[in-house]
Amino acid sequence: MDAADLIWMNGEFVAWDDAKIHVLTHGLHYGTGVFEGVRCYDTESHGPAVFRHQEHVERLFQSASMYYMDIPFTREQLREATLELIGRNGQRSCYIRPLVYRGYGTMGLFPLDAPVDVSIATWAWGSYLGDEGKANGIRARVSSWRRISPDSLIPQAKATGQYLNSILAKIEAHKSGYEEAILLDDHGYVCEGTGENLFVVRGGKIFTPPLSSSLLDGINRRSVITIAEDLGFEVSERQISRAELYLADEIYCTGTAAELTPIREVDDHAIGTGKPGEVTRAVQSAFEDALHGRSDRYAHWLDPVPAEHFSKVAAS
Ligand code: PMP
């Protein structure tokens, strides 16, 4: 990976190579952590700006609270720390990874006596499913693994241990020659990708599984629903069966890492013409405009990095 200069750990800016933890860190053993994936874009209108920053910070606090973790910083402190870190790392665009985890101090499954540690890292990271995938679409398969059920875990929390589910699906997809997995929920309805929400287009209308289908309430999902509706498309949140994927005219997925990536094949069935369709292209282009600050309408989704933080690069 592309190392940056600094990582923020529990209130301090430390050198990238010194951002280390003890092997008896609770979260390393039991997956007791929550995190976010956020991006900063070098926007045309506002310079470097974090996309929907407040929403990501809010979801981090919600994930932490669902696992009984009290974050020892305020939302505003984490937001400020992130903006300062980006500036001090001199990164005009980057991926941002805030992490809240049970630290070193106790072992065993009762976690509430372990400290809650917080770190924020930033690094340069291209689109997760590749630029070629964003342009021409990717091939996906329906996973033999089901998305974690709300009977056992909390699908709405972005918790580290929960990602073993996505990782099994990702490995299976990769080993069988596909770029991404689509997980069904515990009732057999389409849920989401390993790190993306899904949208299906049929007859000019857009469908996406509802929040009750055990999915993560993706921030890009919300953005893309708003954008598609603003473009005049009808967007419905409803259960989607596996066969509806095969019968779709178009499918695309959204996520901070993947941005908006078309899906051109599912289980070896070409979707529509086998190329990204018109609706996908229209929504993708408006979404890219929003991310890169080319759209006044969505300018309020950008949290600009104050210029003074960039001058700290030279100073430090
Ligand atoms: N689902 C899962 C399981 C994810 O990990 C992600 C990435 N955070 C998403 C959906 C998309 O969420 P967002 O748009 O907020 O990145």
Side-chain angles (χ1 to χ4, degrees):
M1 66 185 301
D2 257 332
D5 290 342
L6 299 170
I7 287 183
W8 185 93
M9 279 181 98
N10 292 325
E12 314 268 326
F13 291 92
V14 302
W16 179 277
D17 288 336
D18 296 335
K20 293 182 179 152
I21 54 158
H22 198 280
V23 290
L24 293 181
T25 295
H26 196 276
L28 204 53
H29 295 248
Y30 306 116
T32 43
V34 296
F35 67 106
E36 271 303 312
V38 195
R39 274 190 193 270
C40 172
Y41 292 89
D42 193 6
T43 68
E44 291 179 19
S45 52
H46 294 72
V50 179
F51 187 68
R52 305 207 74 170
H53 199 179
Q54 285 87 341
E55 287 86 345
H56 282 284
V57 172
E58 189 55 41
R59 191 171 64 184
L60 183 71
F61 274 76
Q62 284 173 351
S63 297
S65 141
M66 286 190 274
Y67 279 101
Y68 305 94
M69 282 192 270
D70 286 328
I71 301 183
F73 296 93
T74 62
R75 289 164 174 71
E76 200 44 33
Q77 282 172 322
L78 294 191
R79 178 178 155 257
E80 283 291 339
T82 302
L83 297 175
E84 185 171 347
L85 180 68
I86 295 168
R88 289 177 69 160
N89 277 335
Q91 289 163 315
R92 301 190 64 83
S93 65
C94 58
Y95 183 83
I96 305 159
R97 170 55 57 79
L99 173 67
V100 174
Y101 58 101
R102 291 275 175 195
Y104 169 75
T106 71
M107 274 288 128
L109 292 177
F110 181 74
L112 302 188
D113 294 332
V116 174
D117 288 328
V118 186
S119 65
I120 307 168
T122 63
W123 65 89
W125 207 12
S127 183
Y128 177 59
L129 296 168
D131 288 339
E132 149 71 22
K134 259 175 77 175
N136 299 318
I138 57 156
R139 297 176 60 245
R141 65 165 280 178
V142 172
S143 180
S144 71
W145 297 99
R146 292 288 173 95
R147 166 78 173 156
I148 48 171
S149 131
D151 293 338
S152 305
L153 281 168
I154 310 173
Q156 287 78 12
K158 199 167 163 61
T160 58
Q162 299 189 169
Y163 276 81
L164 286 174
N165 176 237
S166 288
I167 284 171
L168 284 171
K170 190 77 183 175
I171 292 174
E172 180 187 57
H174 181 84
K175 282 188 178 290
S176 51
Y178 299 85
E179 288 147 288
E180 187 51 299
I182 295 175
L183 289 97
L184 307 181
D185 68 14
D186 56 332
H187 298 291
Y189 288 102
V190 171
C191 187
E192 60 182 351
T194 60
E196 308 87 27
N197 295 114
L198 285 174
F199 291 83
V200 166
V201 182
R202 200 167 176 205
K205 293 185 181 152
I206 303 176
F207 303 94
T208 193
L211 294 181
S212 53
S213 281
S214 302
L215 44 86
L216 185 75
D217 180 3
I219 288 160
N220 297 282
R221 175 183 181 277
R222 291 183 217 160
S223 309
V224 161
I225 291 175
T226 303
I227 288 172
E229 286 176 343
D230 289 346
L231 287 172
F233 294 109
E234 197 182 300
V235 184
S236 319
E237 297 181 50
R238 69 151 173 83
Q239 288 175 320
I240 295 172
S241 67
R242 180 171 184 164
E244 284 180 280
L245 294 176
Y246 307 150
L247 295 170
D249 298 326
E250 305 176 31
I251 304 179
Y252 58 87
C253 62
T254 61
T256 298
E259 299 168 320
L260 191 156
T261 299
I263 297 182
R264 68 182 161 87
E265 242 180 74
V266 177
D267 293 344
D268 303 309
H269 294 289
I271 303 306
T273 60
K275 295 200 173 100
E278 269 174 41
V279 177
T280 303
R281 285 276 176 245
V283 178
Q284 186 182 39
S285 141
F287 177 58
E288 289 281 329
D289 284 348
L291 295 178
H292 293 276
R294 293 188 292 260
S295 156
D296 287 347
R297 188 167 197 172
Y298 308 115
H300 60 285
W301 286 345
L302 304 174
D303 188 17
V305 182
E308 78 235 27
H309 291 323
F310 282 95
S311 55
K312 292 177 185 155
V313 182
S316 59

